[in-house]
């Protein structure tokens, strides 16, 4: 069962980093947030227009381009939102095609964003000049459940592994056209894909790292995973996120129990285990029932220069790793439950609940010297805190 301290930490599916600021959409209620990595405090910067405050997870995909945040809906029939961080304004982009996305499958060129959809493996083009959307169809490929996990960009070509069809779809951003080639015969699925020195470095269901030239029918088996690596959940997807930096392939778990780093030049394979992130296969179902959102370990991993970031579904800790020194930083985000100078969100007919806000959260509210707060007294909160809030509200 998940600890209450973990459950009080903010949870989000996708995120973007801008220097030391992390943007994300809150899972449990209507709030667009930003976290400061210097002090780990989280502020609410906006709420999605037309969405009730108690509804969360309406827009979970997020991608930053210059001063814009593109926000994708959880329902594929809903419209996109764009948030202008300079002017604190929302814009709506009409729906066309499947709109659900994670930022790791969004690619920018000029003033346009290209989104690869998970279900149909098609590309949505978002024009940030006129805020329009266009779905680029590939009628020659009938794909209903493409199972797209990752996409690799090489110059202006997007390489999209479609596990359902065992095909690698190739989309030309410049031409707006599709082509494809078949998976290598010795690879059953592609979960991670990275391009390096003329070949794709891939992992899938096999306990191996492969290197593949698309002109070859088979991929080269590079190295086996360590003998002591194991799956903590009933899936065959070992790794879900990857990148190559300084000739090293980094692999981050889907259901593997550790992080791997493979030096392509020296052929050295390293293992990384994070204290507190150990997984117990016997407890995972109980954790999912008690508040863990999904079993997949890190879901989204991104590299910005020599820094990589990832968010744990188990502990809700936001991690930062220096890729030159391998030094790890842990960010335990703390919410400031304020918006428009009022406590937000309201719960239980505007009665503030300590279960929701906890003592530290209330202290952060008080130190902001908030006025105009509407709250009713609960004995569990304590007379001192109530008196202070009441005094500030007069």
């Amino acid at each position: 069962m998940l600890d209450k301290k973990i459950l009080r930490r903010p949870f989000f599916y996708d995120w973007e980093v801008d220097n030391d600021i992390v943007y994300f959409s809150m899972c449990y209620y209507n709030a667009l947030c930003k976290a400061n990595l210097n002090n780990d405090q989280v502020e609410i910067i906006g709420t999605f227009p037309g969405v009730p405050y108690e509804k969360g997870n309406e827009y979970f995909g997020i991608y930053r381009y210059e001063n814009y945040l593109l926000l994708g809906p959880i329902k594929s029939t809903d419209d996109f939102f764009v948030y202008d961080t300079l002017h604190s304004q929302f814009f709506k982009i009409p729906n066309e095609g499947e709109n659900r996305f994670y930022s790791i499958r969004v690619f920018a060129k000029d003033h346009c964003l290209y989104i690869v959809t998970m279900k149909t493996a098609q590309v949505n083009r978002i024009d940030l000049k006129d805020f329009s959307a266009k779905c680029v169809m590939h009628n020659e490929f009938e794909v209903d459940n493409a199972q797209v996990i990752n996409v690799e960009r090489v110059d202006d070509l997007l390489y999209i592994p479609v596990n359902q069809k065992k095909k690698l779809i190739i989309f030309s951003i410049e031409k707006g056209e599709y082509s494809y080639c078949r998976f290598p015969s010795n690879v059953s699925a592609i979960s991670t894909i990275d391009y390096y020195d003329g070949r794709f470095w891939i992992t899938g269901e096999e306990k191996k790292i492969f290197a593949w030239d698309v002109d070859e029918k088979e991929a080269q088996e590079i190295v086996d995973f360590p003998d002591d690596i194991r799956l903590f959940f009933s899936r065959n997807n070992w790794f879900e996120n990857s990148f190559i930096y300084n000739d090293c392939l980094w692999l981050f778990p889907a259901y593997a129990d550790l992080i791997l780093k493979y030096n392509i030049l020296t052929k050295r394979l390293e293992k990384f285990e994070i204290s507190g992130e150990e997984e117990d296969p016997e407890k995972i179902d109980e954790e999912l029932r008690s508040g863990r959102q999904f079993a997949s370990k890190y879901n989204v991993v991104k590299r910005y220069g020599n820094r990589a970031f990832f968010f744990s579904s188990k502990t809700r800790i936001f991690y930062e790793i220096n890729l030159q020194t391998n030094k790890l930083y842990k960010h335990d985000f703390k919410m400031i439950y304020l918006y428009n100078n009022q406590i937000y969100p309201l719960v239980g007919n505007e009665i503030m609940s300590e279960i929701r806000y906890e003592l530290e959260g209330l202290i952060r509210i008080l130190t902001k010297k908030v006025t105009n707060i509407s709250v009713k007294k609960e004995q569990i909160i304590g007379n001192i805190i109530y008196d202070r809030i009441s005094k500030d509200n007069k």
Side-chain angles (χ1 to χ4, degrees):
M1 185 171 182
L2 291 185
D3 186 90
K4 287 184 179 179
K5 184 176 181 180
I6 295 175
L7 293 173
R8 284 170 177 156
R9 291 170 182 155
F11 184 85
F12 41 94
Y13 289 94
D14 202 359
W15 43 269
E16 277 283 14
V17 173
D18 181 12
N19 294 317
D20 288 326
I21 297 297
V22 182
Y23 293 99
F24 61 86
S25 174
M26 179 63 73
C27 175
Y28 298 111
Y29 51 89
N30 177 11
L32 180 61
C33 304
K34 70 175 182 180
N36 190 323
L37 294 178
N38 294 309
N39 58 23
D40 291 345
Q41 293 203 348
V42 180
E43 297 182 47
I44 299 169
I45 61 173
T47 58
F48 296 101
V51 178
Y53 76 86
E54 71 275 7
K55 293 197 71 173
N57 196 26
E58 292 295 292
Y59 290 84
F60 72 97
I62 181 170
Y63 182 86
R64 184 182 66 86
Y65 179 76
E66 296 181 349
N67 58 298
Y68 296 113
L69 297 175
L70 176 69
L71 299 140
I74 190 169
K75 298 177 183 178
S76 61
T77 55
D78 288 349
D79 295 329
F80 290 106
F81 266 121
V82 172
Y83 182 78
D84 186 338
T85 58
L86 291 182
H87 302 96
S88 302
Q89 289 181 307
F90 281 97
F91 301 92
K92 185 173 284 191
I93 298 180
N95 169 56
E96 183 170 330
E98 182 190 349
N99 286 348
R100 296 182 62 183
F101 70 84
Y102 281 109
S103 53
I104 55 175
R105 294 191 291 271
V106 182
F107 305 88
K109 182 179 181 182
D110 300 328
H111 53 84
C112 292
L113 304 180
Y114 296 84
I115 302 171
V116 180
T117 63
M118 183 174 66
K119 185 178 179 181
T120 62
Q122 292 181 336
V123 175
N124 279 331
R125 189 188 71 178
I126 306 293
D127 191 320
L128 293 178
K129 276 191 173 180
D130 59 11
F131 295 106
S132 63
K134 178 177 178 57
C135 180
V136 185
M137 306 290 289
H138 51 60
N139 296 324
E140 64 271 31
F141 307 111
E142 293 186 6
V143 181
D144 181 48
N145 184 21
Q147 304 170 24
V148 175
I149 300 176
N150 281 292
V151 177
E152 176 69 340
R153 178 177 183 173
V154 182
D155 298 324
D156 280 344
L157 298 177
L158 303 182
Y159 291 85
I160 309 166
V162 179
N163 289 317
Q164 183 203 48
K165 298 287 187 179
K166 303 292 187 287
K167 291 180 179 179
L168 185 68
I169 293 179
I170 306 165
F171 176 76
S172 170
I173 292 176
E174 182 178 357
K175 297 179 181 179
E177 297 175 352
Y178 295 91
S179 59
Y180 76 91
C181 61
R182 298 189 181 278
F183 280 10
S185 59
N186 56 336
V187 173
S188 59
I190 296 178
S191 299
T192 69
I193 178 169
D194 298 275
Y195 188 76
Y196 173 87
D197 197 24
R199 296 192 294 177
F200 289 101
W201 293 72
I202 57 180
T203 67
E205 295 179 342
E206 294 79 11
K207 207 174 177 180
K208 302 174 184 291
I209 297 173
F210 295 90
W212 176 42
D213 183 327
V214 294
D215 293 327
E216 300 292 334
K217 292 184 178 180
E218 285 193 358
Q220 179 185 356
E221 297 181 8
I222 298 298
V223 65
D224 292 340
F225 296 161
D227 291 337
D228 57 348
I229 192 173
R230 63 190 176 91
L231 293 167
F232 64 83
F233 196 60
S234 56
R235 299 286 189 276
N236 290 328
N237 186 14
W238 293 87
F239 296 97
E240 193 168 33
N241 290 277
S242 63
F243 55 78
I244 293 177
Y245 177 76
N246 277 358
D247 305 311
C248 290
L249 171 65
W250 288 78
L251 296 169
F252 292 83
Y255 306 109
D257 60 351
L258 46 75
I259 298 168
L260 292 182
K261 176 185 178 183
Y262 178 70
N263 190 307
I264 296 172
L265 300 183
T266 66
K267 298 179 171 50
R268 182 188 179 193
L269 186 64
E270 296 179 74
K271 300 183 295 183
F272 291 89
E273 297 178 85
I274 301 175
S275 176
E277 293 294 341
E278 300 85 358
E279 297 283 3
D280 185 344
E282 301 298 323
K283 295 182 178 179
I284 189 72
D285 287 335
E286 180 185 354
E287 291 178 355
L288 291 170
R289 289 192 297 268
S290 64
R292 183 169 177 169
Q293 292 299 304
F294 45 78
S296 176
K297 187 67 175 182
Y298 296 124
N299 201 41
V300 172
V301 178
K302 299 181 190 177
R303 180 179 70 86
Y304 299 83
N306 67 340
R307 302 160 77 194
F309 300 90
F310 48 101
F311 182 63
S312 169
S313 67
K314 175 183 174 67
T315 63
R316 303 186 185 180
I317 294 292
F318 192 77
Y319 290 99
E320 172 186 351
I321 186 170
N322 185 311
L323 299 174
Q324 294 179 327
T325 64
N326 291 345
K327 186 173 182 179
L328 186 72
Y329 303 89
K330 296 184 178 182
H331 297 281
D332 185 355
F333 287 160
K334 308 290 194 307
M335 285 296 304
I336 299 173
Y337 291 99
L338 294 174
Y339 183 61
N340 284 342
N341 210 32
Q342 293 186 349
I343 291 177
Y344 182 89
L346 301 174
V347 293
N349 295 321
E350 300 188 359
I351 299 177
M352 188 169 57
S353 168
E354 188 175 7
I355 296 174
R356 161 78 72 173
Y357 297 104
E358 50 110 8
L359 182 59
E360 291 183 6
L362 293 174
I363 292 173
R364 287 192 292 276
I365 291 173
L366 294 174
T367 55
K368 286 289 181 177
K369 297 182 180 179
V370 182
T371 58
N372 192 27
I373 299 176
S374 175
V375 11
K376 298 180 182 178
K377 178 178 178 180
E378 282 185 19
Q379 187 175 1
I380 191 171
I381 295 177
N383 292 333
I384 296 176
I385 295 176
Y386 175 75
D387 290 340
R388 174 65 188 274
I389 294 176
S390 299
K391 186 181 297 183
D392 285 346
N393 197 31
K394 290 181 180 178

